[in-house]
Amino acid sequence: MMISARNVFEGKIENVEVGAIMASVKIKIESPELITAIITTESVEKLNLKEGDTVSAIIKSTEIIVAKE
Amino acid sequence: MMISARNVFEGKIENVEVGAIMASVKIKIESPELITAIITTESVEKLNLKEGDTVSAIIKSTEIIVAKE
Amino acid sequence: MMISARNVFEGKIENVEVGAIMASVKIKIESPELITAIITTESVEKLNLKEGDTVSAIIKSTEIIVAKE
Amino acid sequence: MMISARNVFEGKIENVEVGAIMASVKIKIESPELITAIITTESVEKLNLKEGDTVSAIIKSTEIIVAKE
Amino acid sequence: MMISARNVFEGKIENVEVGAIMASVKIKIESPELITAIITTESVEKLNLKEGDTVSAIIKSTEIIVAKE
Amino acid sequence: MMISARNVFEGKIENVEVGAIMASVKIKIESPELITAIITTESVEKLNLKEGDTVSAIIKSTEIIVAKE
C-alpha cells in the first residue's frame, strides 16, 4: 500500500499506556528521518526559512497514526 | 518556552518550495527520536500493540509546525 | 449555516462510549458520499493518482467533529 | 498492513485538481460506512448525544490521507 | 445547529487571499474568548499547568474551519 | 522562538481537568485576536467569503497546543 502522508517513520514500541477511550504509544524511531512539513508561505517568509537553517518540527501526539504489518 | 506537544524534533532544512498560499519545507532530523502517539484504546486492542512491536508512525505533512530560534 | 469543511456526512449514532475526558461516537452514514481530500501535489505524483483509481480515504477519529440540529 | 485510524473508506477517484504545492482529490465512497469520532465527553453531554440521534460528521479536507494499493 | 467543537469564535473577515487550491482567510475576533484545549495529561504534568498560569494557545491555520450564516 | 503556526493567543488558565491519558485545559484569552484560517479556494467560492463578512472560526479542542514560558 502506498500512502499520501509524506511522513512514515519505522520504529519499535517502547511503551503503551491505556485509558478508557484513549491510549498513549511511544515509538523509538530507528534512524534519522526526513520530515516534510506543509506550512503557509506567509510563515516561510516571516520566519525567513531557508536551506541549512536549524529548526524544530513540532507535532501534536493526537495527529499521529500507527500502522503495523 | 515549554510546549504541550510531545514531539519536537530538531533538524536542518534541506529544501523549501513555495506556492501562492502554501509551502513545503523538508527537514533532516539529526538523531533518532522517540515519538509519542495518542490513538484510541480500541486501536491498541485491534492492532494488539505492545512493547517491542515494529510499527510505523504516519504523520500527514499538514499537521507539522516549524519553529526556529 | 454554511461551513468551509468540504465533508459533511449525515448519519445515525449507533454507539456512544464515554471516558473521563474523551468519548467515542460511532455514526452510521446513510448513503455513499463524495469525500474531498487535500493532499500534497507531491503525493498525487508519487502515487500517480488519477480519475478512476480505487483508493482508500483514511481519517483519524480525533479529526472528526459531530453536529446535531 | 493494519492501521490505527478507525476510518478507512474505499472508493474511486472522481476528480484530481493540482496546484503548485497542494492538490484536491475527490473520492466517491462506494457503500455507506460507520464513522468513529473521538470528541470530548463535555460535547457528548452538551449536545446530549445518544444512540439513534441523527447527526452530521464534519471533516476538514486537509485531515484526509489517501492510500492506494 | 449544535457542534461538538468546543471553540467557535465569531468575527469579521479582514482579508481573503486565494491560490489555486488553498486560500487564506483572516478573521478579526470581536471579543476575548475562552479556548478549550485537549492535551495529554503527561503534558499537563510536565508543564505543571494550573489555574492562573499565563500560557499561549497555538493553533495551526490549516486546522480552522470557517462557518457563515 | 518563532513558530510557523499563525495563531498564538496569550491568556490565563481558568480550569484544568485531568483524565488517565488526556486532559482538558480552559484558557481565557485576554484580548480580541486575528485568526488566520487556511481553507480550500473551493470553500471561499461556495461560501462567497469576502472582506467584512461576519463568520465563525471553528476549532476542535484536540488541535490546540499549549505553551508556557
Side-chain angles (χ1 to χ4, degrees):
Chain A
M1 195 177 71
M2 295 181 299
I3 199 158
S4 68
R6 291 296 82 208
N7 303 292
V8 181
F9 306 146
E10 204 171 303
K12 272 209 164 55
I13 294 180
E14 286 211 346
N15 183 262
V16 179
E17 194 179 345
V18 171
I21 301 293
M22 302 304 284
S24 168
V25 178
K26 293 191 186 287
I27 303 164
K28 183 72 188 170
I29 300 307
E30 279 153 7
S31 55
E33 296 282 355
L34 187 67
I35 290 185
T36 300
I38 298 294
I39 62 176
T40 58
T41 298
E42 185 186 340
S43 291
V44 169
E45 290 165 358
K46 289 213 171 141
L47 275 64
N48 187 25
L49 297 177
K50 53 190 186 304
E51 248 188 77
D53 281 0
T54 297
V55 294
S56 296
I58 298 172
I59 308 157
K60 192 168 172 172
S61 48
T62 47
E63 305 296 352
I64 299 174
I65 291 172
V66 179
K68 185 176 165 182
E69 288 303 320
Chain B
M1 195 177 72
M2 294 180 301
I3 199 158
S4 68
R6 291 297 81 206
N7 303 292
V8 181
F9 306 145
E10 203 171 304
K12 272 208 165 55
I13 295 180
E14 286 211 345
N15 184 261
V16 179
E17 195 180 344
V18 171
I21 301 292
M22 301 306 283
S24 168
V25 178
K26 293 192 186 286
I27 302 164
K28 183 71 188 171
I29 300 306
E30 279 153 7
S31 55
E33 297 281 356
L34 188 68
I35 290 185
T36 300
I38 299 294
I39 62 176
T40 58
T41 298
E42 185 185 340
S43 291
V44 169
E45 290 164 358
K46 289 213 172 141
L47 275 65
N48 187 26
L49 297 177
K50 55 192 183 303
E51 249 189 76
D53 281 1
T54 297
V55 294
S56 296
I58 299 173
I59 308 158
K60 191 167 174 175
S61 48
T62 48
E63 305 296 351
I64 299 174
I65 292 173
V66 179
K68 185 177 165 181
E69 288 302 321
Chain C
M1 195 177 72
M2 295 180 300
I3 199 158
S4 67
R6 290 298 80 208
N7 303 292
V8 181
F9 306 146
E10 204 173 302
K12 273 207 165 55
I13 294 179
E14 286 211 344
N15 184 261
V16 179
E17 194 179 346
V18 171
I21 301 292
M22 301 306 282
S24 167
V25 178
K26 293 192 185 287
I27 302 164
K28 183 71 188 171
I29 300 306
E30 278 152 8
S31 54
E33 296 281 356
L34 187 68
I35 290 185
T36 300
I38 299 294
I39 61 175
T40 58
T41 298
E42 185 185 339
S43 291
V44 168
E45 290 163 358
K46 289 214 171 141
L47 274 65
N48 187 24
L49 297 177
K50 54 190 184 307
E51 250 188 75
D53 281 1
T54 296
V55 294
S56 296
I58 297 173
I59 308 159
K60 191 167 173 174
S61 48
T62 48
E63 305 296 351
I64 299 175
I65 292 172
V66 178
K68 186 176 165 182
E69 288 302 321
Chain D
M1 194 177 70
M2 295 181 298
I3 199 158
S4 68
R6 291 297 82 207
N7 303 291
V8 181
F9 306 145
E10 203 172 304
K12 273 208 163 57
I13 294 180
E14 286 211 345
N15 185 262
V16 179
E17 195 179 345
V18 171
I21 302 293
M22 302 304 284
S24 168
V25 178
K26 292 190 186 287
I27 303 164
K28 182 71 189 171
I29 301 307
E30 278 153 7
S31 55
E33 296 282 356
L34 188 67
I35 290 185
T36 300
I38 299 294
I39 61 176
T40 58
T41 298
E42 185 186 340
S43 290
V44 168
E45 290 164 359
K46 288 212 172 143
L47 275 65
N48 187 25
L49 297 177
K50 54 190 183 306
E51 247 189 79
D53 282 0
T54 297
V55 295
S56 296
I58 298 172
I59 308 157
K60 191 167 174 172
S61 47
T62 47
E63 305 296 351
I64 299 175
I65 291 171
V66 179
K68 185 177 166 181
E69 288 302 320
Chain E
M1 196 177 72
M2 295 181 299
I3 198 158
S4 68
R6 292 296 81 208
N7 303 292
V8 181
F9 307 146
E10 203 172 303
K12 274 208 163 55
I13 294 180
E14 286 211 345
N15 185 262
V16 178
E17 196 179 344
V18 171
I21 301 293
M22 301 306 281
S24 168
V25 178
K26 292 190 186 287
I27 302 165
K28 182 71 188 171
I29 300 307
E30 280 153 6
S31 54
E33 297 280 358
L34 188 67
I35 291 185
T36 300
I38 298 294
I39 62 175
T40 58
T41 298
E42 185 186 338
S43 291
V44 168
E45 290 163 359
K46 289 212 171 142
L47 275 65
N48 187 26
L49 297 177
K50 55 191 183 305
E51 247 188 80
D53 282 1
T54 296
V55 294
S56 296
I58 298 173
I59 308 158
K60 191 167 173 174
S61 47
T62 48
E63 304 296 352
I64 299 175
I65 292 173
V66 179
K68 184 176 166 183
E69 288 301 322
Chain F
M1 195 177 72
M2 295 181 299
I3 199 159
S4 69
R6 291 297 82 208
N7 303 291
V8 181
F9 307 146
E10 204 172 301
K12 273 208 163 56
I13 295 180
E14 286 211 344
N15 184 262
V16 178
E17 195 179 345
V18 170
I21 301 293
M22 301 305 283
S24 168
V25 178
K26 292 190 186 287
I27 303 164
K28 182 71 188 171
I29 300 307
E30 279 153 6
S31 54
E33 296 282 356
L34 188 68
I35 290 185
T36 300
I38 298 295
I39 61 176
T40 58
T41 298
E42 185 186 340
S43 291
V44 169
E45 290 164 358
K46 289 214 170 140
L47 275 65
N48 187 25
L49 297 177
K50 55 191 183 306
E51 248 188 79
D53 281 1
T54 297
V55 295
S56 296
I58 298 172
I59 308 158
K60 192 168 173 173
S61 48
T62 47
E63 304 296 352
I64 298 176
I65 291 172
V66 178
K68 185 176 165 182
E69 288 301 321

